[in-house]
Amino acid sequence: MKMIQDSIVVRQRHERFIKKICEMETVIGLESEDGFATSSSNNYEDENKNPISMICFWSEKALARACSKDGWKNYTPTEIPLSEFLENWCVGMDNDGLLLGTNFDQNMFGHEIEPLDLILEITAELKSSGKKLELQKFENIEDLEKQVKAILE
Protein backbone atom coordinates (compact mmCIF):
# COMPACT_ATOMS: atom_id res chain seq x y z
CA MET A 1 0.00 0.00 0.00
CA LYS A 2 2.86 2.37 0.85
CA MET A 3 4.30 2.04 -2.70
CA ILE A 4 0.98 3.06 -4.25
CA GLN A 5 0.65 5.97 -1.83
CA ASP A 6 4.22 7.07 -2.58
CA SER A 7 3.64 6.92 -6.33
CA ILE A 8 0.51 9.09 -5.95
CA VAL A 9 2.46 11.65 -3.90
CA VAL A 10 5.32 11.62 -6.45
CA ARG A 11 2.79 12.12 -9.30
CA GLN A 12 1.13 15.03 -7.46
CA ARG A 13 4.51 16.66 -6.86
CA HIS A 14 5.30 16.24 -10.56
CA GLU A 15 2.00 17.88 -11.56
CA ARG A 16 2.76 20.78 -9.19
CA PHE A 17 6.23 21.00 -10.78
CA ILE A 18 4.66 21.38 -14.25
CA LYS A 19 2.13 24.01 -13.12
CA LYS A 20 4.66 26.02 -11.10
CA ILE A 21 7.45 26.15 -13.70
CA CYS A 22 4.95 27.22 -16.36
CA GLU A 23 3.57 29.90 -14.05
CA MET A 24 7.02 31.20 -12.98
CA GLU A 25 8.76 30.43 -16.31
CA THR A 26 11.73 29.21 -14.28
CA VAL A 27 13.16 25.81 -13.38
CA ILE A 28 15.56 25.22 -10.48
CA GLY A 29 18.62 22.98 -10.70
CA LEU A 30 21.28 22.24 -8.09
CA GLU A 31 24.67 23.38 -9.31
CA SER A 32 28.24 23.14 -8.02
CA GLU A 33 31.72 23.61 -9.53
CA ASP A 34 31.29 20.09 -10.94
CA GLY A 35 28.08 20.96 -12.80
CA PHE A 36 24.50 20.03 -12.04
CA ALA A 37 23.37 17.42 -9.52
CA THR A 38 22.87 14.01 -11.12
CA SER A 39 21.46 10.79 -9.78
CA SER A 40 20.69 7.32 -11.06
CA SER A 41 17.23 6.19 -12.01
CA ASN A 42 15.32 3.96 -9.61
CA ASN A 43 12.99 2.84 -12.41
CA TYR A 44 14.92 2.69 -15.70
CA GLU A 45 17.94 0.68 -16.86
CA ASP A 46 20.00 0.72 -20.03
CA GLU A 47 20.59 -2.38 -22.18
CA ASN A 48 23.38 -3.49 -19.78
CA LYS A 49 21.02 -3.35 -16.79
CA ASN A 50 22.73 -0.23 -15.38
CA PRO A 51 20.51 2.53 -13.98
CA ILE A 52 20.14 5.42 -16.41
CA SER A 53 21.65 8.73 -15.31
CA MET A 54 19.28 11.52 -14.45
CA ILE A 55 19.47 15.24 -13.70
CA CYS A 56 17.03 16.52 -11.09
CA PHE A 57 15.09 19.77 -11.28
CA TRP A 58 12.70 21.52 -8.93
CA SER A 59 9.94 24.09 -9.19
CA GLU A 60 11.03 26.01 -6.08
CA LYS A 61 14.39 26.89 -4.52
CA ALA A 62 13.29 25.65 -1.08
CA LEU A 63 12.57 22.17 -2.46
CA ALA A 64 15.97 22.07 -4.18
CA ARG A 65 17.71 23.39 -1.05
CA ALA A 66 16.17 20.53 1.01
CA CYS A 67 18.09 18.09 -1.24
CA SER A 68 21.36 20.01 -0.94
CA LYS A 69 22.86 17.54 1.56
CA ASP A 70 25.08 14.46 1.71
CA GLY A 71 26.59 14.02 -1.79
CA TRP A 72 24.96 17.26 -2.91
CA LYS A 73 25.90 19.45 0.08
CA ASN A 74 28.13 21.70 -2.08
CA TYR A 75 25.33 22.34 -4.58
CA THR A 76 23.24 25.51 -4.61
CA PRO A 77 19.88 26.19 -6.27
CA THR A 78 20.28 27.82 -9.70
CA GLU A 79 17.48 29.32 -11.79
CA ILE A 80 17.12 28.29 -15.43
CA PRO A 81 14.69 30.18 -17.68
CA LEU A 82 11.92 27.84 -18.86
CA SER A 83 12.62 28.54 -22.55
CA GLU A 84 16.30 27.60 -22.11
CA PHE A 85 15.27 24.53 -20.09
CA LEU A 86 12.99 23.32 -22.89
CA GLU A 87 15.26 24.11 -25.84
CA ASN A 88 18.70 23.34 -24.43
CA TRP A 89 18.30 21.11 -21.40
CA CYS A 90 15.45 18.79 -22.38
CA VAL A 91 16.54 18.43 -26.00
CA GLY A 92 20.19 17.98 -24.99
CA MET A 93 19.37 15.47 -22.27
CA ASP A 94 17.32 13.46 -24.74
CA ASN A 95 20.29 13.44 -27.15
CA ASP A 96 22.54 12.29 -24.28
CA GLY A 97 20.12 9.52 -23.21
CA LEU A 98 19.51 11.07 -19.80
CA LEU A 99 16.33 11.13 -17.76
CA LEU A 100 14.86 14.02 -15.81
CA GLY A 101 13.81 13.90 -12.18
CA THR A 102 11.21 16.39 -10.96
CA ASN A 103 10.67 17.77 -7.46
CA PHE A 104 12.64 15.06 -5.68
CA ASP A 105 12.30 15.11 -1.91
CA GLN A 106 15.11 14.93 0.67
CA ASN A 107 14.81 11.10 0.55
CA MET A 108 15.54 11.22 -3.19
CA PHE A 109 12.07 10.17 -4.23
CA GLY A 110 10.65 11.93 -7.23
CA HIS A 111 9.11 11.55 -10.65
CA GLU A 112 11.38 10.22 -13.42
CA ILE A 113 10.54 11.13 -16.99
CA GLU A 114 11.98 11.09 -20.49
CA PRO A 115 12.96 14.67 -21.52
CA LEU A 116 10.77 14.70 -24.66
CA ASP A 117 7.74 13.48 -22.70
CA LEU A 118 8.36 16.30 -20.23
CA ILE A 119 8.48 18.84 -23.09
CA LEU A 120 5.01 17.65 -24.20
CA GLU A 121 3.62 17.94 -20.66
CA ILE A 122 5.04 21.46 -20.33
CA THR A 123 3.80 22.63 -23.75
CA ALA A 124 0.32 21.22 -22.96
CA GLU A 125 0.26 23.17 -19.68
CA LEU A 126 1.50 26.37 -21.36
CA LYS A 127 -1.18 26.07 -24.03
CA SER A 128 -3.97 25.30 -21.55
CA SER A 129 -3.00 28.33 -19.45
CA GLY A 130 -2.75 30.51 -22.58
CA LYS A 131 0.93 31.32 -21.95
CA LYS A 132 3.29 32.24 -24.75
CA LEU A 133 6.99 31.53 -24.39
CA GLU A 134 9.73 33.24 -26.40
CA LEU A 135 11.90 30.51 -27.94
CA GLN A 136 15.19 30.84 -29.84
CA LYS A 137 15.33 27.59 -31.83
CA PHE A 138 11.61 27.09 -32.48
CA GLU A 139 8.99 29.47 -33.83
CA ASN A 140 6.76 28.96 -30.78
CA ILE A 141 5.65 26.25 -28.34
CA GLU A 142 3.38 24.70 -30.98
CA ASP A 143 6.40 24.30 -33.30
CA LEU A 144 8.43 22.74 -30.48
CA GLU A 145 5.54 20.40 -29.63
CA LYS A 146 5.09 19.39 -33.28
CA GLN A 147 8.78 18.57 -33.70
CA VAL A 148 8.92 16.57 -30.47
CA LYS A 149 5.83 14.57 -31.47
CA ALA A 150 7.46 13.84 -34.86
CA ILE A 151 10.56 12.47 -33.09
CA LEU A 152 8.46 10.28 -30.78
CA GLU A 153 6.38 8.73 -33.58
Side-chain angles (χ1 to χ4, degrees):
M1 189 66 190
K2 177 126 176 65
M3 275 312 281
I4 294 168
Q5 192 181 3
D6 285 347
S7 73
I8 291 169
V9 168
V10 163
R11 183 77 208 160
Q12 288 169 335
R13 280 204 315 255
H14 176 68
E15 286 165 11
R16 276 201 303 275
F17 170 84
I18 298 287
K19 285 202 178 325
K20 187 89 178 173
I21 66 170
C22 288
E23 185 186 310
M24 306 304 290
E25 294 186 19
T26 306
V27 179
I28 309 298
L30 279 176
E31 191 178 22
S32 78
E33 292 171 359
D34 302 325
F36 280 79
T38 59
S39 183
S40 295
S41 172
N42 295 313
N43 304 325
Y44 299 95
E45 297 176 333
D46 64 17
E47 58 279 354
N48 302 322
K49 302 273 184 248
N50 296 316
I52 294 176
S53 292
M54 170 175 66
I55 302 179
C56 299
F57 296 94
W58 293 265
S59 55
E60 298 166 56
K61 281 187 174 173
L63 297 174
R65 210 172 284 118
C67 296
S68 184
K69 61 178 199 176
D70 302 328
W72 291 354
K73 67 180 179 294
N74 298 326
Y75 290 77
T76 52
T78 303
E79 288 188 13
I80 302 163
L82 183 56
S83 55
E84 182 185 320
F85 178 72
L86 288 168
E87 293 186 288
N88 300 333
W89 285 88
C90 292
V91 172
M93 288 173 69
D94 179 67
N95 290 338
D96 294 341
L98 298 171
L99 289 170
L100 257 142
T102 63
N103 276 1
F104 269 54
D105 63 18
Q106 58 274 21
N107 300 316
M108 295 312 293
F109 278 104
H111 189 71
E112 299 179 13
I113 188 168
E114 297 271 351
L116 297 182
D117 293 334
L118 182 63
I119 289 175
L120 294 179
E121 288 187 21
I122 293 170
T123 55
E125 174 63 26
L126 288 168
K127 283 165 55 177
S128 79
S129 63
K131 272 210 142 166
K132 296 282 179 234
L133 203 58
E134 195 71 31
L135 300 173
Q136 303 296 314
K137 300 174 183 172
F138 301 89
E139 287 174 37
N140 49 35
I141 57 172
E142 289 79 11
D143 180 38
L144 171 61
E145 181 182 53
K146 190 178 84 192
Q147 290 193 42
V148 167
K149 283 180 175 172
I151 293 167
L152 291 174
E153 282 171 2

